[in-house]
């Protein structure tokens, strides 16, 4: 068991050092860098690709590249500012908090400068003009619609947090469906018949028709269409309130003629990922796996990395707090005060992290700490921290249960031969607790492998985030997520088998334990 303690301590020190070192080395600001946030999944404005063809720019923290109209505009602005361009891939919901928390310098993602958004961030002059359309399928009752009134009774949706979704309210009698996360998701919903249409803009409509010839963009005259303000029909660059970059960027934009912008957009439409291949379902699965296996492999590696570190550090947290809470209540007033104070703080920590979703904790820790305290944390460090403290809250109670499962007589026997509480815990109780909690710890590990998927909200390149990227580029959600479903299952199955092997090794000699039917290790009652 001494070897176990040494190895366990070494692993904790190594993982903690590695995590902190990785975080501090990447969190520094650089004034010579222009960090631009975008979805990299909204063709033709921006998309993700596997190489640097057509002038694509590397995405920070990954092996992929970003291309599209927004990227070309970002390159021109970075050149005008005399800075190096860095593309930061972030989900649409994460763009505003990423900007206000200082993780990016600008949002260039086809974002309209609405009045609601202007309350939180500033915008430059428009760099793109567009009008709203409704995308429907060929042959649907709405294909030949000419007025918003023709969509009475139709099931429509739009992207979450956009003016497109608010514009649906202008249609009387429409069935407004829940907003969706991104355009690829809406295209799949429309193709599968879940919705009758979605509100988009003219350029995205051209892209959708190119991807799926069965789509039709219904356009309207000014009198019969959506009533939009000038701000609603344009896209501008989002900046932090009072940013010094605003004036310089406006000058750069003013030097780019409208004809050149249209040329860039038309080029982006031609260069966007081609998904028009007529393949069977199995053919698509093989094509996606063949073309994107490096991304899936890196995503799976990141998922395992975060899960392993999070489980190890979380177990250490749980072990420390669990052992502390098993200490007999001190009788001296001073010690008793600090014991109760720490116990109270630990209780608050456990209740908060067990009582809130990990996805909310991710947003609060990654973006909230940056906004409130200026703590600019590396994404991977934040991911490991979030999983670790979340796991620690659960492991604390698991360890406490493991300690209580040890027979009280063992404590009394140890005390009778003169052992202190620390000696009793170290030499008698903890070795049994480690074995007792091993199945529950394994469950936490498996849960962590799956729960890392929620970290996509802070743009960590784990497996689910990688799959969203691929699905966003090829619009094949079913085939793409079927592949990662298999990968998740393989990872969790292997982990389960490895943990069961470790349990069997620790259970020797077998006559003392019944590992699966009796995980608390109560000795079997001999049958007469």
């Amino acid at each position: 068991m001494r070897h176990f303690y040494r190895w366990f301590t070494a692993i904790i020190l190594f993982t903690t050092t590695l995590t902190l070192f990785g975080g501090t080395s990447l969190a520094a600001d650089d004034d010579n860098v222009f960090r631009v946030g975008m979805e990299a999944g909204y063709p033709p404005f921006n998309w993700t690709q596997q190489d640097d063809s057509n002038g694509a720019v590397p995405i920070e923290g990954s092996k992929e590249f970003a291309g599209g109209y927004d990227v070309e505009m970002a390159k021109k602005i970075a050149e005008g500012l005399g800075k190096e361009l860095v593309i930061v891939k972030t989900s649409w919901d994460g763009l505003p908090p990423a900007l206000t928390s200082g993780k990016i310098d600008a949002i260039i993602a086809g974002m309209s400068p609405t009045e609601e958004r202007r309350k939180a961030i500033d915008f430059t002059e428009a760099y793109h003009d567009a009008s709203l359309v409704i995308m429907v399928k060929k042959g649907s009752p709405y294909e030949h619609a000419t007025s918003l009134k023709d969509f009475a009774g139709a099931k429509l949706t739009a992207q979450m947090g956009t003016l497109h979704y608010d514009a649906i309210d202008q249609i009387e009698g429409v069935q407004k469906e829940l907003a969706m996360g991104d355009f690829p998701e809406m295209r799949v919903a429309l193709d599968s018949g879940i919705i009758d249409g979605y509100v988009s803009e003219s350029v995205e409509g051209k892209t959708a028709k190119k991807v799926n010839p069965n789509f039709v963009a219904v356009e309207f005259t000014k009198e019969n269409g959506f009533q939009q303000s000038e701000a609603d029909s344009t896209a501008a660059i989002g900046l932090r309130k009072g940013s010094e970059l605003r004036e310089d960027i406006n000058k750069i934009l003013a030097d780019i003629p409208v004809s050149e912008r249209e040329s860039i957009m038309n080029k982006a439409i031609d260069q966007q990922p081609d998904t028009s291949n007529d393949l069977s379902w199995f053919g698509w699965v093989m094509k996606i796996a063949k073309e994107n296996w490096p991304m899936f492999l890196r995503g799976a590696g990141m998922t395992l990395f975060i899960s392993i570190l999070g489980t190890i550090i979380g177990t250490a947290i749980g072990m420390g707090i669990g052992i502390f809470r098993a200490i007999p209540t001190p009788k001296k007033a001073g010690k008793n005060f600090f014991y109760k104070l720490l116990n109270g703080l630990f209780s608050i920590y456990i209740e908060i992290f067990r009582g809130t979703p990990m996805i909310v904790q991710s947003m609060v820790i990654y973006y909230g700490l940056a906004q409130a305290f200026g703590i600019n944390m590396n994404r991977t460090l934040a991911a490991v921290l979030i999983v670790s403290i979340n796991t620690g809250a659960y492991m604390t109670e698991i360890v406490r249960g493991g300690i209580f499962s040890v027979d009280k007589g063992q404590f009394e026997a140890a005390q009778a031969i003169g052992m202190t509480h620390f000696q009793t815990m170290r030499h008698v109780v903890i070795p049994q607790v480690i074995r007792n909690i091993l199945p529950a710890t394994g469950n936490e590990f498996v849960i962590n492998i799956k729960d890392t998927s929620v970290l996509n909200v802070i743009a960590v390149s784990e497996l689910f985030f990688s799959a969203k990227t691929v699905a966003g580029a090829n619009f094949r959600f079913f085939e793409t997520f079927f592949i990662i479903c298999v990968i998740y299952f393989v990872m969790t199955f292997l982990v389960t088998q490895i943990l069961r092997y470790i349990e069997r090794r620790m259970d020797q000699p077998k006559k003392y334990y019944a590992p699966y039917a009796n995980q608390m290790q109560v000795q079997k009652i001999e049958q007469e």
Side-chain angles (χ1 to χ4, degrees), residues 65-104:
F65 297 79
Y69 177 74
D70 288 335
V71 174
E72 294 302 317
M73 294 300 290
K75 286 162 68 175
K76 288 184 174 294
I77 294 168
E79 183 181 357
L81 294 173
K83 297 186 176 186
E84 178 188 356
L85 175 62
V86 172
I87 299 295
V88 181
K89 184 175 179 178
T90 306
S91 64
W92 177 262
D93 292 339
L95 287 171
L99 178 65
T100 55
S101 62
K103 297 185 181 299
I104 56 177

Side-chain angles (χ1 to χ4, degrees), residues 6-167:
R6 290 172 184 170
W7 277 106
F8 186 75
T9 305
I11 291 172
I12 293 297
L13 291 174
F14 173 74
T15 52
T16 305
T17 304
L18 180 66
T19 304
L20 292 176
F21 178 77
T24 52
S25 64
L26 296 175
D29 292 330
D30 189 345
D31 291 337
N32 295 319
V33 170
F34 183 49
R35 298 167 62 83
V36 175
M38 61 179 64
E39 292 175 278
Y42 180 33
F45 286 94
N46 50 70
W47 64 77
T48 301
Q49 59 187 58
Q50 297 299 313
D51 54 42
D52 61 353
S53 59
N54 301 318
V57 176
I59 296 174
E60 184 190 51
S62 76
K63 301 291 184 182
E64 289 80 45
F65 297 79
Y69 177 74
D70 288 335
V71 174
E72 294 302 317
M73 294 300 290
K75 286 162 68 175
K76 288 184 174 294
I77 294 168
E79 183 181 357
L81 294 173
K83 297 186 176 186
E84 178 188 356
L85 175 62
V86 172
I87 299 295
V88 181
K89 184 175 179 178
T90 306
S91 64
W92 177 262
D93 292 339
L95 287 171
L99 178 65
T100 55
S101 62
K103 297 185 181 299
I104 56 177
D105 298 316
I107 298 172
I108 306 182
M111 182 175 282
S112 297
T114 61
E115 289 302 319
E116 191 67 25
R117 290 182 183 135
R118 286 184 186 278
K119 295 176 182 177
I121 61 178
D122 282 343
F123 284 95
T124 64
E125 298 296 329
Y127 71 98
H128 173 72
D129 297 323
S131 58
L132 295 185
V133 299
I134 297 180
M135 300 303 300
V136 300
K137 286 182 73 173
K138 276 184 180 176
S140 80
Y142 310 101
E143 179 183 358
H144 302 293
T146 57
S147 169
L148 294 183
K149 296 178 181 177
D150 297 333
F151 282 91
K155 293 186 291 185
L156 299 184
T157 187
Q159 189 177 20
M160 186 185 303
T162 63
L163 66 92
H164 304 167
Y165 193 64
D166 296 335

Side-chain angles (χ1 to χ4, degrees), residues 99 233 283 338 340 433 518:
L99 178 65
S233 59
F338 286 107
K340 289 184 177 179
V433 169
N518 182 13

Side-chain angles (χ1 to χ4, degrees), residues 127 163 275 312 520:
Y127 71 98
L163 66 92
T275 59
I312 292 174
M520 283 294 126

Side-chain angles (χ1 to χ4, degrees), residues 89 292-307 448-456 459-471 480-492:
K89 184 175 179 178
N292 300 284
W293 68 265
M295 189 187 301
F296 291 144
L297 194 61
R298 288 192 292 271
M302 178 61 77
T303 294
L304 283 176
F305 175 76
I306 295 170
S307 303
N448 282 343
I449 290 176
K450 296 181 291 184
D451 282 358
T452 52
S453 59
V454 305
L455 297 172
N456 80 91
V460 176
S461 299
E462 42 73 44
L463 184 57
F464 182 76
F465 188 77
S466 301
K468 280 187 70 177
T469 298
V470 173
T480 303
F481 284 101
F482 174 78
I483 293 172
I484 69 159
C485 180
V486 172
I487 297 174
Y488 271 119
F489 174 76
V490 170
M491 287 195 297
T492 55

Side-chain angles (χ1 to χ4, degrees), residues 1 4 319 402 405 429-441 499-500 502-508 513-521:
M1 188 53 69
F4 175 81
M319 191 70 76
S405 71
V429 179
I430 296 303
Q432 298 178 72
V433 169
I434 290 173
R435 172 57 189 89
N436 288 351
I437 67 171
L438 192 57
T441 306
L499 289 172
R500 284 181 180 173
I502 295 173
E503 288 176 30
R504 287 196 295 271
R505 295 278 296 179
M506 295 182 72
D507 284 343
Q508 293 178 353
Y513 299 115
Y516 301 119
N518 182 13
Q519 295 183 349
M520 283 294 126
Q521 305 303 295

